[in-house]
Amino acid sequence: MKATPIICFYFFVFGLYNFSVAQENIGRKLEALRSPEIAADNTVTFNFFAPKAQEVAVIGNWPMSEASNDNKLIMHKNADGIWTAKQEQLGSDLFLYNFLVDGVRIADPLNVYQIRDVSNVFNYFITNGGQAELYKTKVVLHGTLTKVWYKSSINSAERRMTVYIPPSSGSAKKSYPVLYLLHGMGGDEEAWPTLGRVSQIMDNLIASGRIEPMIVVMPNGHSSNSAAPGYSEKGEYAVNFRTADVGSGDMESNFQEIIKFVEKTYPVKKGKKNRAIAGLSMGGSHSLFIAAANPNTFDYVGLFSAAYRLNDKQGIPVYDNIDQNLLQQKKYGYALYWIGMGKTDFLYKTGEDYRKKLDDLGLKYTYHESEGGHTWSNWRDYLIQFSSLLFK
Amino acid sequence: MKATPIICFYFFVFGLYNFSVAQENIGRKLEALRSPEIAADNTVTFNFFAPKAQEVAVIGNWPMSEASNDNKLIMHKNADGIWTAKQEQLGSDLFLYNFLVDGVRIADPLNVYQIRDVSNVFNYFITNGGQAELYKTKVVLHGTLTKVWYKSSINSAERRMTVYIPPSSGSAKKSYPVLYLLHGMGGDEEAWPTLGRVSQIMDNLIASGRIEPMIVVMPNGHSSNSAAPGYSEKGEYAVNFRTADVGSGDMESNFQEIIKFVEKTYPVKKGKKNRAIAGLSMGGSHSLFIAAANPNTFDYVGLFSAAYRLNDKQGIPVYDNIDQNLLQQKKYGYALYWIGMGKTDFLYKTGEDYRKKLDDLGLKYTYHESEGGHTWSNWRDYLIQFSSLLFK
C-alpha cells in the first residue's frame, strides 16, 4: 500500500492549522513546553514530558553540575509528568546531549536541532556570548554551501564533497584562495559543515575582517564510501559506519584529483601560496601525508589533534617516504605549519613524537596546546585560529 | 565551563575505536540490533530496546496492518527487553514514523535517518522497487545541491534558497531551463530537498532520459523568515514555526527578484519557454498568483494540491486582479497549466472552484486527480509527472 494520510497523523505531519491536536496524548497546556531553554546567563533548563518514566537524565558533552551519577544530569518529575533539570552556567560553545530514559538513550523530542555524528544522533544547542557567537547565523553576508560530486579514480566512482564559497561583495568577478579541510575517522563530508559550523564561522570571520575570504573544500575522506550515509548508492541501511579504508593511503595518494576538480570548477586563485590543507584526527594525518607527498603544493598546513600513523601500514609509498617527503617540503618552503593538540588528547603522545621528528628534520612549526582533548569544541577553535593566519 | 570530554560520552560521540562501549546501558549483544529492517518483500520490522517501558507502538503515515489501536502498530516485548513489530508489506514509497513510548512520541534511536518537518522530527525509510527507486541515490551522474543567499527587498534581508544544478556531461559549457519549485505553509527551503527528494528524483530522471536536464530553484516562501529554522539570524530557539505572513502577498509580489538573481548567478536559458513554476499547497497558490501577475514569464505552471486563496486578503494587488491577470496569461499563451489534486484532499473543493474559474475564463489546463490527499507521497509523484512534461 502507498502512504496515505491518517487524520491524527496528518495534523502533526502537515498541520499548522490545528497544532495542538498534533501532540497526541500530550495535552494542550504542554504546547508551550520547550527544551532546552537557554537563559541569558547560559544556565540551561531541559524539559521532557513522560509521566510513566521512572528515571530520566540528561547526558551531554560537558561536566555535569548537580549531584550526578556517572556524569548524568538527573531530571526530576513534577505532578504534571514533566521532567526537568537545570544545568548551571555553561561556557560559550555548541553542546551535544541526549536524554537517558529508563536506561534508553533518546533524542529530546522538543528539540528539532540535531546532528548525526557517525551512527548517533545528538541534539545540540549553542550558548550565548563569547566565541559561540561565531557559530550562529548573524546579519552578515552569507557564503554559499554546495554539495557537489566529482569523478574520482578511487573505485572509478563519483564522490561527494561540500564546498563553502565566500559571499561576493560587489559585482566584480572575484577569485579566492582555498582551504582544504578534512574530517576525522568518524566523519564524512557533512562533519565540518554541521559539527564544525564552517559556514557560520567563515561568514562571521569574513564579515569582521578577521580572515581573508576563502573557499573551503570538505571532501569525503573515506575511500570505501563515496558519500555520507544516506547520500550514497549503498542505500540508507546498507551503510557500515565502520570504515575499513583507514590507512590504505587511497585518499592521500589521489588528492591531486580533488585540487584539479576544484580549480576547474570554482573561482580559485591557483598556486601554492593560495592553498592550505588542514584536518582533524584522521584528517590531520591525511593533511600531513598529502602535504608531504606534494611538497610544493601547500603554503599552509594545519594538524588538528592529528592521528599520525607514522609506524603502521608500511609498503604504501605515500607513507613510506615520509622523511624524504618532509625534507622536500622543507626545501621548497612553506608559510605556516600549524599543530594544535589538547592536553588530555589520547593522541597526545604520538603528537609529541611527531614534533620531535619535525625538530630532528629541521622543519619549523607553530604549536598550540589547548585544554581538553579530542573534541569538536577544540576543532572549531583550531579552525578559527588557523584560518586567521592564512593567505595574509 | 567549556565542553570537555567525558570518557563514557567520548566513546559514543567520537568512538569507532570501541563502539560497543558506546551504548551505555545497552549490552554488547544489542550491537547488531537495527531498526527498521526492510525486507526484500517490503515488510518492515521495527526494533526498540526499552526493558522498562510498558507500552510501545509505531506511529507512521501509512495505514497500520496489525490489530491496531488508533492507527498505531503495537510493539511486543521479548525477554531481553526488545520491543518488536512487523509491518506487513508496504508499497513503494518514502515513509515517516516515530515511536510512541508510554504515550510519549520519540524518534527511533536506532535510525539515524530523520527529516525535520515543521517542528517535528520524523524518522524515515524508503521501500524497494517501483517509484521509490527514484527516491534513492543510484550509480548515475549527480547534480549539485547548493544553499545560497540572495539580497531581497523583503525586509531588506538576505534570504536563503536551495538550488539543484543538473550534472554536466562533457566539458562544453551548458545552460539549462529552470523550474521554480515552491514549498507549502509548513515548509521552507529545506522541504523539497528532504521530504521531496529533489536531488535523487532529478538525478535519476535525467539519467534515464525521462526529463530534460533542468535547474530547480527552491526559495524560502515565508516572508517573515529569511531562512529555515536553524539557519536564520533569529537563532535556533527564537523561531516561531507558525508564520504569520501567509496571504500577505510579499512572496508573490517580489518574485521577479528571484528570477533576476538566478539568471545572473547560474547557467540559465532565459525566456518564457525555459521557465516553469510549480508548488504544493501554499506554494501552489504562490505559483498561481506569480504566474498570473507575470503573465508572459512562465510557459509551464504546476499547481500541486494548491491552496487557492481566491476570496481572502482583498486589497493586495497581486490577489485582487486575478481574473484580469489570468486573461492576460491566456492572451500571451503558455505550454502547460498542470493541476494535481488528491481525491481526499481537504482543499479538494477549492480546487474544483478554481478549475471552474479557469473554464469560465477559457484557460486550458491538464488535470490529474490522484488517490489520497495532502501528502508528500502525492507531491513527489506530481513532481515526477510534471517535470516529465517540461521543456520538450
Side-chain angles (χ1 to χ4, degrees), chain A residues 1-6 8-10 12-14 16-17 19 23-26 31 34-36 38 48-52 54-55 59-63 70-72 88-96 100 102-106 109 111-114 116-122 124-126 137-149 158 185-186 197 200 229-233 236-237 239 241-242 281 344 346 372-377 379, chain B residues 1-6 8-10 12-14 16-17 19 23-26 31 34-36 38 48-52 54-55 59-63 70-72 88-93 95-96 100 102-106 109 111-114 116-122 124-126 137-149 158 185-186 197 200 229-233 236-237 239 241-242 281 344 346 372-377 379:
Chain A
M1 63 192 76
K2 283 180 72 77
T4 55
I6 303 160
C8 65
F9 194 76
Y10 162 76
F12 71 77
V13 180
F14 307 112
L16 292 175
Y17 305 99
F19 206 78
Q23 308 292 333
E24 294 186 87
N25 296 297
I26 304 182
E31 211 186 325
R34 291 216 170 191
S35 181
I38 303 154
F48 178 55
F49 174 75
K52 293 184 186 168
Q54 294 158 50
E55 251 186 278
I59 45 178
N61 67 342
W62 64 91
D70 294 336
N71 271 311
K72 299 176 188 80
E88 66 185 28
Q89 188 168 51
L90 287 169
S92 169
D93 214 331
L94 181 153
F95 295 92
L96 302 176
L100 198 62
D102 292 331
V104 181
R105 187 166 60 79
I106 66 166
N111 181 357
V112 301
Y113 301 107
Q114 308 191 357
R116 181 187 59 76
D117 187 28
V118 197
S119 58
N120 292 284
V121 175
F122 297 104
Y124 74 85
F125 62 92
I126 303 174
T137 302
K138 299 284 186 179
V139 184
V140 297
L141 288 176
H142 300 295
T144 299
L145 199 72
T146 288
K147 308 287 179 179
V148 65
W149 299 71
E158 283 211 300
M185 188 159 84
R197 304 295 282 187
Q200 293 84 356
Y231 295 95
S232 120
E233 71 287 354
E236 252 79 358
Y237 299 98
V239 172
F241 287 96
R242 303 187 201 197
S281 196
T344 62
F346 72 105
H374 213 66
T375 64
W376 275 102
S377 179
W379 302 327
Chain B
M1 60 192 77
K2 282 180 71 77
T4 55
I6 304 159
C8 65
F9 194 75
Y10 163 77
F12 72 75
V13 180
F14 308 110
L16 291 174
Y17 305 100
F19 206 77
Q23 309 294 331
E24 293 186 89
N25 296 298
I26 303 182
E31 209 187 324
R34 291 217 168 190
S35 180
I38 302 156
F48 178 56
F49 174 75
K52 293 183 187 169
Q54 294 156 52
E55 252 187 279
I59 44 177
N61 67 340
W62 64 92
D70 294 335
N71 272 313
K72 299 177 186 82
E88 66 185 30
Q89 188 167 51
L90 287 169
S92 170
D93 215 331
F95 295 92
L96 303 176
L100 198 62
D102 293 331
V104 182
R105 187 167 61 78
I106 65 165
N111 181 358
V112 300
Y113 300 108
Q114 307 191 359
R116 181 187 58 77
D117 186 27
V118 196
S119 57
N120 292 283
V121 175
F122 297 104
Y124 73 86
F125 61 92
I126 303 174
T137 302
K138 299 285 185 179
V139 184
V140 296
L141 289 175
H142 300 295
T144 299
L145 199 72
T146 287
K147 309 287 180 181
V148 65
W149 300 70
E158 283 212 300
M185 188 159 85
R197 304 295 281 184
Q200 294 84 355
Y231 295 96
S232 121
E233 71 287 357
E236 253 77 359
Y237 299 98
V239 172
F241 287 96
R242 304 186 200 198
S281 197
T344 62
F346 72 103
H374 214 66
T375 64
W376 275 102
S377 180
W379 302 327

Side-chain angles (χ1 to χ4, degrees), chain B residues 201-266:
Chain B
I201 289 172
M202 291 287 126
D203 284 354
N204 291 322
L205 291 178
I206 290 169
S208 66
R210 281 178 64 186
I211 65 169
E212 295 297 312
M214 64 186 81
I215 288 175
V216 185
V217 173
M218 296 160 275
N220 185 308
H222 283 297
S223 56
S224 58
N225 288 327
S226 62
Y231 295 96
S232 121
E233 71 287 357
K234 290 183 181 177
E236 253 77 359
Y237 299 98
V239 172
N240 187 346
F241 287 96
R242 304 186 200 198
T243 44
D245 53 74
V246 178
S248 68
D250 287 342
M251 197 63 202
E252 298 92 319
S253 309
N254 290 287
F255 202 79
Q256 280 288 358
E257 70 186 16
I258 291 178
I259 299 175
K260 202 172 154 193
F261 171 81
V262 167
E263 298 193 347
K264 193 188 74 184
T265 309
Y266 298 102

Side-chain angles (χ1 to χ4, degrees), chain A residues 183-202:
Chain A
H183 63 77
M185 188 159 84
D188 50 55
E189 75 278 14
E190 306 278 346
W192 272 110
T194 54
L195 288 156
R197 304 295 282 187
V198 162
S199 287
Q200 293 84 356
I201 289 172
M202 291 288 125

Side-chain angles (χ1 to χ4, degrees), chain B residues 321-360:
Chain B
N321 304 316
I322 185 63
D323 285 17
Q324 303 93 298
N325 289 350
L326 284 169
L327 286 168
Q328 282 293 100
Q329 202 178 349
K330 177 185 170 187
K331 194 184 108 193
Y332 285 115
Y334 50 82
L336 175 70
Y337 203 106
W338 193 94
I339 298 176
M341 181 63 86
K343 284 177 186 163
T344 62
D345 198 307
F346 72 103
L347 295 170
Y348 187 90
K349 177 67 173 63
T350 69
E352 210 163 37
D353 295 345
Y354 184 66
R355 295 197 310 278
K356 179 153 187 330
K357 176 189 283 290
L358 293 179
D359 290 336
D360 291 348

